[in-house]
Amino acid sequence: MCGIVGYIGFREASDVIIKGLKRLEYRGYDSAGIAILNGEVIIKKGKGKVVNLEKMVLNGPAKGTVGIGHTRWATHGEPNDVNAHPHSDGKHDFAIVHNGIIENYDSLKKELISKGHTFDGQTDTEVLAHLIEEIQKVAEVDFETAVQLALKQVDGTYGLAIVNKHEKDKIIVARKGSPLLLGIGDNEVFIASDASPIIEYTNKVVYLDDDEMAVITREGYQVKTISNIELNKQVHELEMNIEQIEKGGFPHFMLKEIHEQSDTIADCMRGRLMVEENRVVLGGIERVLDRLVNARRLVIAACGTSWHAGLVGEYLLEYIAKLPVEVEYASEFRYRQPLIDSNDILLVISQSGETADTLAAVREARERGALVIGICNVVGSTIARETDAGIYTHAGPEIGVASTKAFTAQVTVLSMMAILLGQRRKVLGEADAKEMIHALHGIPAQVASIMEKQDQIDTISRLFAYAPNFLYLGRSYNFPVALEGALKLKEISYIHAEGYPAAEMKHGPIALIDEHMPVVVLAVTDHTNDKMISNIEEVRARKGRVIAITTENNHDVRNLAEFCITIPETHDVLTPLLTVIPLQILSYQIAVYRKCHVDQPRNLAKSVTVE
Ligand code: M6R
């Protein structure tokens, strides 16, 4: 987590950095800081969001055209002024910003204390600064070599940037496990954790890989390994634009992203869903398609919302393609010695493409010889680059911490993949494929029609905004959607919510139901309809407040539920793409009623790059 921005060139560095840090605040927002080179290293930092840092800089400008900045998601040391980045060495010669965790910081710190170093705060990053200082003093090497030697001594992960007052036209950056890229302009270079801070200046980027560093000057950059082997890195051209990363008139990114979904789902299918030809083309996995078609099973690993999409994928791939699927939490995958080998295929799903646990699963599976395929949103992200093949979701930048459009794009990809594999495995007939492809093609317009229900959902949101608990129930394809609805509510409204397979309710959670408990029931017209109706009756019998999401023609559910939000009819297997939308809106509106910080909920970060 944490966001890093750096700049060297001809502009006022603090302007570029503060603007960039605002764009990266989704990565963490406990504290923020900046270091500008101007003869000295001028550091300004403090607890709170980037806007506080901006005020500090306005009150006492830090002038200069070289600098680095940081927005923090605390790992080691509470979020306070002292622990805010940048950190310095004992002599205040240089400043460092760091994303990641130095796992052996405690032993390094003890050793440094025994050599006379004193520390102001509790962070692992400050230890790294003192380690570099100590190495430079003892080994009598230049600064760059000292950084290299220090990085060889640390265990853990880092994306870091350093400025040194003795090297006034230089920034050193390095990466291991935490993303970092360079934006290449004319006589200026930008550094950032992702492309959003730099896209308004340049679309030319160089991605650093693990164990690489770069020495950046106004004139350009040299990338090398930590062991000092010079590299010739490819320059990539980004396709995103500035409008995609601005709110576009919406009060929050989350609401903007909820509204974008009819477009993003359509973008995700463009050139892939061939309605006339009754087939699906997924160029990113073409090369490995035979392996997929003949696979004995597929293992899916992901975290959070992406894991929920993976669960929907399990239902889709097993039902449509008759391919056995196991879905794993990426965070558990490598710790249980997974039985996966060169006959297996791991499919990882990640919006950011940087989630540390998912990346660890990728590496574990590759080490064991498995084929690894990715479904990622961020183009050029680490997971996208480290997988053998993959499919981009093309949902555009997702800034709100609560994932919305990424989920529907992931489910769209999984639906297309299931149809493609079903046809190739000869288990999905032409007529059934046609029905699904047509239904999928119609989803964007149906999603747009659900947006018109916001006022109706608002009545429910207002009524239940202060409920202490929520229960979400679903069956089959909509069980993962129940989990997703509960997660959305938890993370942005801080209301305790649980998602359950509806049938499990009577094995425990039913004890919670009374007249104060809102129960969101996903009860669409499908093969589980009768059973869902029984569950609604069971909730009603205990005076629970039923909020049903159902299909337009489902009069049974509409008559039974206290509140009802309808979605248009679609193919049963595609209902998650529609049922999730009212749940996203519900959680958004409740968060707004509760005056919660929708886009930056407490304790969270968009991209979880620590394990
Ligand atoms: O970038 P990823 O899809 O790998 O992220 C996985 C989770 O961290 C993410 O989905 C998280 O659960 C969201 N905050 C949920 O809204």
Side-chain angles (χ1 to χ4, degrees):
M1 356 266 265
C2 305
I4 290 177
V5 182
Y7 178 75
I8 180 165
F10 49 85
R11 302 172 203 259
E12 200 60 68
S14 59
D15 292 348
V16 176
I17 294 168
I18 286 174
K19 200 169 183 191
L21 289 178
K22 284 185 180 166
R23 296 229 164 96
L24 287 185
E25 259 190 322
Y26 73 86
R27 301 179 68 87
Y29 30 81
D30 296 334
S31 59
I34 192 168
I36 301 293
L37 272 190
N38 191 350
E40 294 296 310
V41 181
I42 307 165
I43 294 183
K44 290 184 184 286
K45 61 178 188 172
K47 189 179 169 179
K49 301 199 170 173
V50 176
V51 63
N52 295 348
L53 173 69
E54 188 175 26
K55 280 185 203 143
M56 263 185 248
V57 172
L58 283 174
N59 289 337
K63 295 274 176 201
T65 52
V66 183
I68 55 176
H70 188 267
T71 178
R72 178 172 188 239
W73 184 85
T75 58
H76 294 62
E78 66 168 293
N80 58 23
D81 292 350
V82 176
N83 289 330
H85 295 217
H87 290 286
S88 289
D89 58 310
K91 292 189 291 178
H92 298 282
D93 279 353
F94 64 89
I96 178 168
V97 292
H98 166 224
N99 169 20
I101 295 179
I102 308 295
E103 286 167 3
N104 57 339
Y105 86 102
D106 199 34
S107 58
L108 291 170
K109 189 171 183 174
K110 285 187 182 124
E111 205 180 315
L112 288 162
I113 289 172
S114 75
K115 289 176 178 159
H117 289 258
T118 55
F119 293 88
D120 297 331
Q122 292 80 41
T123 68
D124 48 346
T125 309
E126 195 184 357
V127 174
L128 179 58
H130 282 256
L131 179 64
I132 295 169
E133 178 189 8
E134 179 67 19
I135 289 174
Q136 194 176 17
K137 187 175 82 189
V138 173
E140 293 182 0
V141 290
D142 61 34
F143 187 63
E144 196 181 311
T145 310
V147 172
Q148 287 171 331
L149 292 174
L151 292 181
K152 284 186 183 160
Q153 285 192 31
V154 303
D155 297 333
T157 55
Y158 51 79
L160 57 85
I162 315 177
V163 288
N164 184 332
K165 74 175 185 187
H166 300 299
E167 316 219 339
K168 64 185 176 60
D169 278 336
K170 196 184 274 183
I171 304 178
I172 295 177
V173 297
R175 171 202 162 133
K176 184 178 184 185
S178 297
L180 215 52
L181 54 85
L182 313 182
I184 315 301
D186 290 335
N187 297 316
E188 58 182 349
V189 180
F190 304 81
I191 297 147
S193 303
D194 76 25
S196 56
I198 62 169
I199 192 65
E200 68 183 278
Y201 308 105
T202 178
N203 67 348
K204 294 194 172 49
V205 297
V206 171
Y207 296 103
L208 287 193
D209 287 306
D210 279 356
D211 297 310
E212 289 180 0
M213 64 187 293
V215 179
I216 303 159
T217 61
R218 275 171 225 285
E219 289 71 42
Y221 59 92
Q222 173 65 61
V223 181
K224 48 176 92 174
T225 65
I226 302 296
S227 308
N228 214 26
I229 299 164
E230 292 194 0
L231 302 167
N232 239 333
K233 298 285 285 186
Q234 190 186 348
V235 179
H236 297 262
E237 289 219 353
L238 291 173
E239 281 175 13
M240 70 203 266
N241 59 48
I242 192 75
E243 289 75 40
Q244 288 177 306
I245 53 170
E246 293 188 334
K247 283 190 199 146
F250 286 92
H252 298 100
F253 280 111
M254 184 183 177
L255 188 62
K256 176 189 173 222
E257 288 157 5
I258 289 172
H259 276 261
E260 281 174 346
Q261 288 176 106
S262 73
D263 290 338
T264 50
I265 294 171
D267 290 344
C268 180
M269 297 190 298
R270 188 158 297 119
R272 293 167 166 175
L273 191 76
M274 318 305 266
V275 182
E276 298 302 314
E277 297 164 37
N278 202 30
R279 67 187 184 108
V280 168
V281 179
L282 294 173
I285 54 167
E286 193 60 50
R287 221 166 32 81
V288 295
L289 198 51
D290 284 347
R291 282 281 305 273
L292 270 167
V293 170
N294 297 310
R296 58 176 182 174
R297 65 164 183 164
L298 182 69
V299 180
I300 297 180
C303 300
T305 288
S306 298
W307 182 75
H308 296 155
L311 285 179
V312 178
E314 179 179 28
Y315 283 94
L316 291 167
L317 288 157
E318 292 198 339
Y319 175 74
I320 302 172
K322 306 288 176 250
L323 175 60
V325 175
E326 288 159 34
V327 187
E328 306 249 4
Y329 281 116
S331 53
E332 287 297 313
F333 182 73
R334 74 183 174 134
Y335 294 112
R336 57 168 197 77
Q337 306 282 317
L339 297 176
I340 191 162
D341 59 30
S342 55
N343 295 312
D344 284 307
I345 305 177
L346 177 74
L347 173 68
V348 289
I349 307 174
S350 174
Q351 186 286 128
S352 61
E354 301 293 348
T355 299
D357 287 319
T358 312
L359 183 57
V362 169
R363 291 176 178 164
E364 179 77 32
R366 291 197 65 170
E367 215 159 89
R368 288 165 188 264
L371 174 75
V372 183
I373 299 174
I375 297 178
C376 291
N377 191 37
V378 177
V379 175
S381 54
T382 309
I383 293 174
R385 287 182 290 130
E386 290 201 14
T387 40
D388 297 296
I391 307 167
Y392 282 119
T393 47
H394 294 316
E398 190 180 66
I399 313 283
V401 166
S403 188
T404 52
K405 63 177 181 172
F407 175 81
T408 46
Q410 290 162 346
V411 173
T412 303
V413 167
L414 289 160
S415 309
M416 290 191 289
M417 201 168 156
I419 295 169
L420 172 64
L421 292 182
Q423 288 183 313
R424 295 289 179 102
R425 287 164 69 88
K426 301 198 186 324
V427 292
L428 178 67
E430 284 297 284
D432 287 339
K434 192 170 187 173
E435 208 185 318
M436 284 175 200
I437 287 174
H438 267 91
L440 198 49
H441 183 64
I443 291 286
Q446 294 182 319
V447 167
S449 76
I450 300 173
M451 298 301 163
E452 286 159 23
K453 312 249 160 168
Q454 279 183 94
D455 288 348
Q456 188 196 345
I457 302 172
D458 189 61
T459 313
I460 303 168
S461 306
R462 194 158 5 102
L463 201 60
F464 292 108
Y466 291 94
N469 300 290
F470 263 74
L471 200 56
Y472 287 72
L473 302 176
R475 283 176 188 255
S476 182
Y477 308 98
N478 281 299
F479 153 55
V481 180
L483 297 179
E484 175 59 7
L487 175 64
K488 286 290 88 86
L489 191 71
K490 271 186 275 216
E491 67 180 330
I492 60 168
S493 301
Y494 319 139
I495 294 177
H496 171 243
E498 290 199 48
Y500 258 90
E504 283 293 304
M505 178 180 68
K506 54 188 170 296
H507 298 286
I510 199 164
L512 297 168
I513 296 175
D514 60 17
E515 68 275 25
H516 304 297
M517 176 69 99
V519 183
V520 180
V521 183
L522 303 166
V524 296
T525 314
D526 66 5
H527 60 293
T528 67
N529 192 40
D530 292 346
K531 295 282 187 296
M532 286 307 303
I533 287 173
S534 304
N535 294 136
I536 294 175
E537 294 281 17
E538 288 156 11
V539 174
R540 274 175 48 125
R542 285 150 188 91
K543 299 195 168 49
R545 314 289 302 271
V546 176
I547 304 165
I549 315 295
T550 190
T551 28
E552 272 151 11
N553 66 356
N554 196 325
H555 299 289
D556 293 339
V557 172
R558 292 177 78 165
N559 291 336
L560 264 182
E562 184 178 354
F563 304 93
C564 205
I565 305 158
T566 58
I567 57 160
E569 305 289 333
T570 183
H571 195 293
D572 290 2
V573 300
L574 301 178
T575 52
L577 287 167
L578 302 181
T579 50
V580 75
I581 309 287
L583 304 193
Q584 295 169 345
I585 298 172
L586 183 73
S587 62
Y588 170 79
Q589 291 174 341
I590 289 179
V592 171
Y593 276 118
R594 292 168 67 94
K595 301 199 176 356
C596 296
H597 204 311
V598 173
D599 285 333
Q600 293 168 352
R602 71 181 178 211
N603 304 338
L604 282 170
K606 179 73 181 159
S607 174
V608 185
T609 56
V610 292
E611 287 178 55

